[in-house]
Amino acid sequence: MFLVYTVYALREHARFGTTGYDLGIFDQAVRSYAEGRWPASELRTATAPPGFTGEAYPLLSDHFHPILALLAPLYLVAPHVETLLIAQAALMGVSTFVITRAAQRHLRARWAAPAIGLAYGFSWGLQQLIGFDFHEVAFAVPLLALAGSAYLEGRWVAAAWWAAALLLVKEDLGATAAVLALLLLRHHRRAGLLLGATALAGTALTVLVVIPALAPDGQYGYLAQPQPYGMLDGWPLKALTIGALVVITAGVALRSPFALLLLPTLAWRLFSPNPAYWGMGLHYSAVLMPIAFIALIDVLRRGVRLPVLVPLVIAAMLFPAQPLRFLVTPGFWQDGPRETAARSAIDLIPAGARVAASNSLAPHLSDRAIVDLVADGVLTRRKDITWIVADTTDPFPTGGVIAVIRQAEENGWRSVYAEGGVVVLRSPAGSEPS
């Protein structure tokens, strides 16, 4: 699975399918760690709170993910954005190995391990993660698989340790660790109590103290998101997500107590006013996959009757709607006029330049230049930007690309490239001979 994930991710990046939000942001974060600095991102300033005037946004004030520092040594060897994509594929590969080994140890059916391993590896949640840039939750996937494997084997203390590490991945995962703590209380009271106390205290400390202390506006921004939706909105889409989660194990995983770990992530997503969290897309469902499959193995080892090939058949049925399907389409491997134009435009930007790049071009420059997002107001905030490279069809941020290009042209910026909807402009200051 590691090779499949890697091939897909690298080709998707090469064909400009990755974005500054979020691959470029994480590239700048890990690069900060590698250079001995706290993680910060110039790209993330495009959606910073009102009044922020800093050079780069402090990312630990957005989400708490210090586990990313583990990737810094890789950047000392290979300081390129592709390193993140390969690392993420490796983390998914590790989780697939853990799930497959768990099935092998606990299920007697001859084809149980390969069938469940493949069903997990091709599960829609993992595919959506691989299909959308890089994200810190990639670390949570093997951690949850390892915690679940230890739970199945009765290694309660080990399960608690693996779950405790989730607190270093993202601030919402403490709630998932707390649910596991409740399950552990039945088997190892001390491990359950310590994990529960750590999870609750760590989450409260992170959300109420650490993040607000680091945030420029003194707030944890995700507690009150300005969205025009309420808890009762979007339930057709939410129901589809729930249904897709249930169906991957034919519903039997819900009979395991371990399935309770699904609830915290589902709760904050489904009751959030932000519609980006409601559906099957993006990376938000990846952490649910190891939980669902550990729960499946749990019920199957306890005698629940389900042919082991059923989850694999279901995964195959869902495959035509998932990102990895493009691996078998010729167009995925061919560059069109847009890719050719984008690659030519990127090559015009010198190393070390201060550049404003549109969303799909930003991750191709963030490892060799100082990159801000082409967004409204960027030229006002960043007077030292000397290059703009933009795909005029990039939809995010809405209207931002056209507005910035128009402002640049009105202020005397010179067009040095325009092909296939991709443009490169140079500032008057940058055009002067040195």
Side-chain angles (χ1 to χ4, degrees):
M1 291 310 303
F2 165 66
L3 291 177
V4 174
Y5 298 145
T6 298
V7 169
Y8 175 85
L10 292 180
R11 177 55 190 162
E12 182 70 358
H13 177 65
R15 64 195 293 266
F16 295 89
T18 55
T19 56
Y21 271 60
D22 294 320
L23 180 57
I25 291 174
F26 283 108
D27 174 60
Q28 292 174 336
V30 176
R31 187 171 306 280
S32 298
Y33 278 124
E35 294 173 354
R37 299 182 287 111
W38 290 109
S41 170
E42 291 83 5
L43 284 163
R44 180 60 175 79
T45 61
T47 52
F52 178 77
T53 59
E55 179 79 8
Y57 194 77
L59 290 175
L60 289 178
S61 70
D62 183 38
H63 288 301
F64 190 72
H65 40 48
I67 200 166
L68 290 177
L70 294 179
L71 297 175
L74 298 180
Y75 262 50
L76 297 177
V77 178
H80 304 292
V81 70
E82 290 86 353
T83 299
L84 295 184
L85 299 176
I86 296 172
Q88 180 169 255
L91 290 168
M92 296 308 98
V94 169
S95 75
T96 303
F97 174 78
V98 172
I99 295 294
T100 304
R101 283 295 302 274
Q104 184 181 43
R105 288 172 178 170
H106 298 283
L107 303 180
R108 296 179 180 179
R110 181 179 180 183
W111 297 104
I116 289 179
L118 285 171
Y120 170 78
F122 285 102
S123 61
W124 60 267
L126 296 193
Q127 288 200 50
Q128 292 295 330
L129 173 67
I130 293 296
F132 178 35
D133 296 0
F134 169 91
H135 293 89
E136 74 279 79
V137 295
F139 281 97
V141 176
L143 287 174
L144 284 164
L146 288 163
S149 178
Y151 176 86
L152 293 176
E153 295 171 9
R155 295 184 294 113
W156 315 118
V157 175
W161 275 111
W162 289 122
L166 294 171
L167 296 171
L168 302 177
V169 178
K170 199 161 175 266
E171 64 277 1
D172 62 278
L173 289 169
T176 302
V179 174
L180 179 58
L182 292 177
L183 299 184
L184 293 181
L185 286 174
R186 299 173 53 197
H187 308 284
H188 195 295
R189 184 174 178 82
R190 183 178 180 184
L193 288 173
L194 288 175
L195 176 60
T198 300
L200 294 176
T203 300
L205 182 66
T206 300
V207 171
L208 301 178
V209 179
V210 176
I211 293 180
L214 297 174
D217 60 354
Q219 301 180 33
Y220 175 56
Y222 295 92
L223 286 179
Q225 297 187 61
Q227 297 284 344
Y229 302 101
M231 289 189 297
L232 299 180
D233 293 317
W235 276 101
L237 182 59
K238 296 172 182 177
L240 180 63
T241 302
I242 296 172
L245 177 61
V246 171
V247 78
I248 57 173
T249 63
V252 301
L254 299 181
R255 300 171 66 175
S256 167
F258 200 80
L260 292 172
L261 273 71
L262 298 169
L263 294 179
T265 296
L266 286 175
W268 73 255
R269 289 179 58 192
L270 300 181
F271 293 109
S272 169
N274 189 341
Y277 301 145
W278 301 345
M280 295 172 60
L282 306 180
H283 56 288
Y284 301 109
S285 295
V287 298
L288 302 176
M289 299 299 110
I291 298 172
F293 278 84
I294 288 293
L296 172 64
I297 295 170
D298 185 31
V299 297
L300 292 180
R301 70 171 181 166
R302 290 192 281 111
V304 172
R305 297 175 62 86
L306 178 74
V308 294
L309 291 178
V310 168
L312 183 56
V313 172
I314 294 171
M317 293 173 65
L318 294 175
F319 186 82
Q322 301 307 317
L324 291 183
R325 74 185 187 275
F326 292 115
L327 285 170
V328 295
T329 60
F332 185 74
W333 302 100
Q334 299 169 358
D335 282 348
R338 172 185 175 266
E339 289 79 17
T340 301
R343 196 162 289 114
S344 298
I346 291 297
D347 289 342
L348 293 174
I349 308 302
R354 185 69 188 249
V355 56
S358 65
N359 200 31
S360 65
L361 305 184
H364 293 265
L365 286 165
S366 59
D367 60 1
R368 65 178 180 88
I370 305 172
V371 184
D372 288 86
L373 188 70
V374 170
D376 189 39
V378 66
L379 298 182
T380 303
R381 296 193 310 271
R382 298 287 180 264
K383 301 294 185 181
D384 56 345
I385 290 176
T386 55
W387 293 87
I388 295 173
V389 56
D391 183 338
T392 57
T393 65
D394 273 347
F396 176 82
T398 304
V401 173
I402 300 302
V404 170
I405 292 174
R406 184 180 299 116
Q407 180 187 359
E409 291 174 340
E410 291 173 352
N411 285 277
W413 285 59
R414 180 170 60 91
S415 175
V416 297
Y417 181 85
E419 190 71 38
V422 179
V423 299
V424 178
L425 295 90
R426 196 173 186 190
S427 72
S431 300
E432 296 173 359
S434 57

